[in-house]
């Protein structure tokens, strides 16, 4: 009967321009999938035991000694504790320098007047129940975001993501976590089309 | 008598491996000087009206569309409000990606066992009276810090600062601020010698 067994991997879909929040136990694996390609997903994380401990860009980049993280790299909290290990990564390019898109960012950079909440507003809404408000939302780990750097001037170019349909990144939680995850709402980051993001949590047997 | 008038510019000296905290009113100008050359100074800032609003690396780099900020650039808060304008900059290279050095960082990167507080611990101590604790200290604007980026791999190299003795950067405060400023304690950032930093505040007439 063994050859009739099928491993089901059920993803949860995050609709375009929205966010989900959920908890992970230490050891859980979080798989973030780009189902259609060229779609960014902002990831923020907080220690479940004390949400003032958060996933820190500045700490992580310092310890990694590189801007672009991938398989084998650790993501650290502001208190220098490992929060995630990247176990697999079929895309290979993500960003950890730019803040989540926001209403003010859309107005300043794109001249938008619609007052869309952006990843920041969407994360604020889903994380409220954990006592995490807007001021607690740090620079996110921007899954699939493709930021080019000019090494002579430091100029940043937000380019179309390198992710193809089905590309994924697998994180292992190194502590009990509260996580916020988005399907990003910023035009330039997503090659100007707003697409969904899928994720699933795999717990060790 | 006019040619006998002398403009005195009295600097305050921050001793090696320490920090100061002070307030700025909107419009005040903060001048940070490297008196001996090749010395980094970590700058953090908070809105005086609500210290949960802080100088944000992720917001600033996004709005500037560049990693390296200099004359004419604005530094933004996490709430997308301008906190500083850089009015003058005789050095031209600073960093805004790496977290302040800390006891844990010295242990992880350098294998130090002495438990030196680093910029993080020094800032924590001087900012405590403003209700700002360790978890509130974000990625700093690292004045004079020289971080090279490999554009193909994203690898970071912490290089000796480009600042020569007397080089300075002048910031204009765009709101009432609480500021923390250090003479940085990290070996590699300061070409392995710990030197002082000078600063002064010039208020408009």
């Amino acid at each position: 009967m063994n050859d009739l067994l099928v491993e089901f991997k059920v993803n949860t879909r995050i609709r375009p321009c929205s966010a989900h929040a959920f908890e992970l136990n230490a050891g859980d694996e979080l798989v973030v999938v780009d189902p259609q390609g060229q779609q960014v997903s902002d990831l923020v994380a907080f220690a479940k035991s004390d949400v003032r401990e958060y996933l820190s860009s500045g700490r992580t980049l310092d310890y990694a000694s590189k801007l672009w993280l991938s398989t084998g790299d650790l993501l650290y909290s502001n208190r220098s504790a490992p929060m995630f290990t990247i176990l697999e990564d079929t895309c290979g390019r993500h960003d950890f320098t730019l803040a989540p898109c926001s209403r003010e960012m859309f107005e300043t950079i794109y001249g938008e007047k619609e007052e869309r909440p952006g990843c920041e507003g969407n994360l604020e809404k889903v994380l409220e129940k954990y006592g995490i408000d807007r001021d607690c939302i740090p620079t996110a780990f921007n899954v699939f975001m493709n930021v080019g750097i000019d090494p002579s001037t430091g100029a940043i170019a937000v380019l179309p993501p390198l992710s193809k349909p089905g590309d994924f990144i697998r994180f292992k939680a190194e502590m009990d976590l509260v996580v916020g995850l988005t399907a990003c709402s910023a035009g330039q980051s997503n090659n100007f089309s707003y697409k969904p993001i899928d994720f699933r949590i795999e717990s060790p047997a």
Side-chain angles (χ1 to χ4, degrees), chain A residues 103-123:
Chain A
R103 181 176 58 74
E104 293 84 354
M105 181 275 223
F106 293 145
E107 191 176 333
T108 304
I109 293 188
Y110 298 107
E112 287 189 17
K113 299 294 178 196
E114 302 162 49
E115 305 211 342
R116 295 191 301 138
C119 285
E120 187 181 70
N122 290 328
L123 287 167

Side-chain angles (χ1 to χ4, degrees), chain A residues 98-198:
Chain A
L98 303 180
C101 59
S102 66
R103 181 176 58 74
E104 293 84 354
M105 181 275 223
F106 293 145
E107 191 176 333
T108 304
I109 293 188
Y110 298 107
E112 287 189 17
K113 299 294 178 196
E114 302 162 49
E115 305 211 342
R116 295 191 301 138
C119 285
E120 187 181 70
N122 290 328
L123 287 167
E124 181 185 5
K125 196 170 157 188
V126 296
L127 290 166
E128 187 184 13
K129 63 183 172 191
Y130 295 104
I132 295 162
D133 70 7
R134 184 183 168 181
D135 284 324
C136 302
I137 296 172
T139 298
F141 184 73
N142 301 306
V143 176
F144 308 128
M145 188 173 185
N146 183 12
V147 175
I149 310 285
D150 181 318
S152 59
T153 65
I156 285 171
V158 177
L159 303 168
L162 298 179
S163 49
K164 298 174 296 299
D167 269 340
F168 69 90
I169 183 168
R170 178 186 295 268
F171 303 92
K172 180 184 162 202
E174 299 292 348
M175 62 171 75
D176 292 351
L177 293 169
V178 171
V179 173
L181 192 67
T182 77
C184 174
S185 313
Q188 197 167 12
S189 304
N190 302 294
N191 207 9
F192 298 99
S193 79
Y194 306 122
K195 301 169 288 302
I197 282 289
D198 291 347

